[in-house]
Amino acid sequence: MRPFFLFVVTCCLLHGDLSVADDGITLKQIMADPDWIGRSPERPTWSVDSSRIFFQRKQKGRHERDWWVVDIADSAPQKLSLRDALSATPAKGDYDRDRKQRVYTFAGDLFVQDLDSGRIRQLTRTEARESSPEFLGDGTQVQFSRNGKLLIRDLTAGLESEPAVIHFDDKPDSDRKKKGFVESKELELFDYLQLKKRQADEARDLTKKTNQVSPFVVGEPFYLGKKNRSVRQTLSPNGNWLAVVIVPEDSRKTGRADKMPIWVRDDAYAESQEVRSLVGTESEGAEVLSLLDLRNHKVIEIDLANLTGITSDPLKSIRKQDKDESDDETETAEDTSESDQPKPRDLSITSLQFSSDSKHVLFQCFSTDNKDRWICAVACGGKKHKTTVIHHEQNKAWINRRMATVEWIGKSHQVCFVSEASGYAHLYVADRKDWRSRKITSGSFEVSSVQISQDGLRIFFRSNQTHPGVYELCVADIKTGQVETLTSLGGMNDFLISPDEKWAVATHSELNTPPQLVVVELNGEGNSRQLTSFTSQAFQAVKWTVPRIVKVPTRNGRTVYSRLYLPEHPSDEPRPAIVFVHGAGYLQNAHQGWSYYFREFMFHSLLNQRGYVVLDMDYRASAGYGRDWRTAIYRKMGTPELEDLEDGVAWLVQEHNVDSKRVGVYGGSYGGFMTLMALFKKPRLFACGAALRPVTDWAHYNHGYTSNILNTPDDDPRAYEKSSPIYFAEGLQHPLLICHGMLDDNVFFKDTVRLVQRLIELEKQDWNVAVYPVEPHGFRQPSSWLDEYRRILKLFETHLRDDQKSL
């Protein structure tokens, strides 16, 4: 098979019975619009009285969603008309401190509801979108955002106002301090200039006095400096303090945008579209926190320069090692001088929250290299406004921001947060009396989806304590630390607690069952009832393989949880096998629920029916197994995961009668990257492979994801060379299929183009490329899915069947 110019789309498709399983399942059926499986409920939310559940459901053959409702006492869901949907009252939003009112947004406008009478009042009707509404103080005022600006609505008077007027400029009178000799002497020399200055000063003083006594003006501006901009704000419940996170524009680094050609357009002309920049070419900027004292009109800059470890340089040894490997020069005097005067690292600041009594503001800081996380509090009263570090978490690899939640516990003085400090994401509580934290949960499991009870005495959370692939609802008593598991549904579950906290609705799925809604009674018995059943009869009629969740032993005594798909009938002869590599890197697929890779689930059943064994491993870097499993790939992507795949193949050969010479591999995105690494670095491991939308060179991927794992190319070039398939392409020996969408703005099609040129120059054979001109990273057209998987199946059938010669 000769390599061909990659822009030519091959048109050879499989016909006959090659894509048909023994019981009649076809690839065309599997890869059709997924509406044929059934349209599962999405984004459930409770009614205010906890008697009904609202949810959305996709319209058949369309992208739009309808609103549905189901009564928990009546299992028949009903679709709402557009009028009824607009007047429905899901329980999302914020409640006042007595839970008498609720403020929320719907379709971008602001509403408030009286919970005793049920009466709803619309507060805004604008083209702009209002968001993030919260009650202030006694519930007579609401703060919300409109187009990035923080506003206050008085519910009694109806007045809408700004809590503070912020000008990103220097104070008008500050220019005098910056004048040099020549400019300052002008005032002494000319009476006219003195008159102009006196008039300006008098006008400014008059405006200030008027603002202080007039109820009709917005108040004197706060000047927060030129070339700054606000990235987030929040107002204290008593309205006296405004916390503002600011970033100097000159501290941000905006990378050069790459280009993505669009080939198929209605005007018949190609067009280039700007897409993201590359890793290492951009930075978030150095965020700073200021407290605005609105009563006394003062700006208090919060000092974060003394946070524990903020002046350390976690990449210094890596840069030095790279320098030593590059040449034999020693550190210069300039290097030593720089190390003697360490500078604080830049920070990003999130999770701004005031305590209910407005005496403290809580927030999180992350170093922009994502090696450190600080949970901090600042007292709003007094003179010092000292920053207290509640929790400091450091990781030589990277902090898992997905687990980094923190919030006040109701009206108490306590703070709840989740941290991976022990090796797994666990629950902690700290009291502001001394800010010492207390660990609530412990063990080899993960905590997520934290929700504080209304009385502030309990914490609901989701965990996989019973099995890494099973997620149940738990509750912890804050005072005693006692933890109770409230559900026993099995499978994969996401939970939402009802407003009265007597029920939970679970979006529940199992290995061969798409998500449906299940209501669970939280009375200690955990009685449950399924509320929806939207899976089609056509899907249920197929005899799908239910994968086994197995523990694959590996070198060094590790265990890799995996999905194992076995053919129904055993064979005395060695069988072919396929290893599927899931994407996303940090994703869990060997759980006991419906897979994100549902097409692959169906494809694996078809492969089983054709005699293949299929293994799908949660290799190192997958989610659900703790910090060390997640960060095992730091600075060496494609190395530990490949070891796991090797051990998986050895286990298949030993335990499931698999022919070691007839094993194929495939996967998309990160799975495509791993397919390339396997074929290039371990050419005898797999007989063939299909790399779908693969990363071929991490230096061309995005900043947010890649810089966590490999640092940046300038700081850590060796990590990129060790982790990018393009540097190992010389190792290709066995057939390779690459499939890539040309409108992929995640992993650019350029990745495949550059690898193709490398393979051509290396004079490699037996590789092939299929391109999809209208497809993004995740395909949308059923015809594209069908074409792609026909090619994958043909690859396996051609090179893994027992009548083929040894490869």
Side-chain angles (χ1 to χ4, degrees), residues 509-511 563 565 589 591 593-598 601 616:
S509 69
E510 298 178 7
L511 285 163
R563 290 186 176 215
Y565 296 77
N589 204 40
H591 54 72
W594 183 247
S595 175
Y596 170 81
Y597 297 95
F598 62 89
F601 158 77
D616 172 5

Side-chain angles (χ1 to χ4, degrees), residues 645-793:
L645 299 188
E646 284 186 274
D647 294 338
V649 171
W651 180 77
L652 287 176
V653 172
Q654 180 177 343
E655 300 294 333
H656 294 284
N657 195 25
V658 164
D659 185 344
S660 63
K661 295 182 179 180
R662 294 192 291 134
V663 182
V665 61
Y666 87 105
S669 193
Y670 200 97
F673 150 72
M674 282 305 305
T675 297
L676 295 176
M677 291 294 272
L679 292 178
F680 294 171
K681 294 184 67 178
K682 299 289 181 179
R684 295 189 178 185
L685 181 60
F686 296 108
C688 61
L692 319 177
R693 52 198 180 275
V695 174
T696 67
D697 188 343
W698 286 108
H700 289 258
Y701 198 54
N702 69 30
H703 183 81
Y705 178 87
T706 319
S707 63
N708 278 338
I709 306 172
L710 301 180
N711 303 310
T712 66
D714 288 340
D715 284 331
D716 202 352
R718 296 292 186 271
Y720 284 81
E721 293 173 354
K722 290 187 297 185
S723 302
S724 297
I726 200 167
Y727 294 104
F728 302 97
E730 176 67 41
L732 180 64
Q733 296 180 17
H734 290 163
L736 165 64
L737 168 67
I738 303 173
C739 299
H740 210 145
M742 298 177 77
L743 298 188
D744 191 338
D745 59 359
N746 182 352
V747 179
F748 297 154
F749 181 61
K750 180 180 71 173
D751 266 51
T752 288
V753 174
R754 295 178 70 248
L755 179 62
V756 162
Q757 181 61 27
R758 180 71 176 143
L759 293 173
I760 291 172
E761 293 179 0
L762 290 170
E763 300 181 359
K764 291 297 177 179
Q765 301 183 64
D766 293 334
W767 57 269
N768 208 335
V769 176
V771 301
Y772 298 87
V774 301
E775 293 295 358
H777 193 62
F779 287 3
R780 296 173 181 170
Q781 303 303 315
S783 57
S784 299
W785 285 107
L786 176 60
D787 182 88
E788 180 178 56
Y789 274 80
R790 276 177 170 167
R791 296 174 189 276
I792 296 170
L793 183 57

Side-chain angles (χ1 to χ4, degrees), residues 32 157 198 219 221 226 287 315 318 322 327 377 414 425-426 436 518 529 552 578 591 609 632 722 731 737 743 770:
R198 185 169 62 253
K226 288 183 178 180
E287 295 182 355
L315 299 177
I318 293 174
D322 178 65
D327 53 60
Q414 293 179 305
H426 280 299
R436 291 183 181 178
V518 174
R529 184 165 59 83
V552 177
I578 305 297
H591 54 72
Q609 291 157 3
K722 290 187 297 185
L737 168 67
L743 298 188

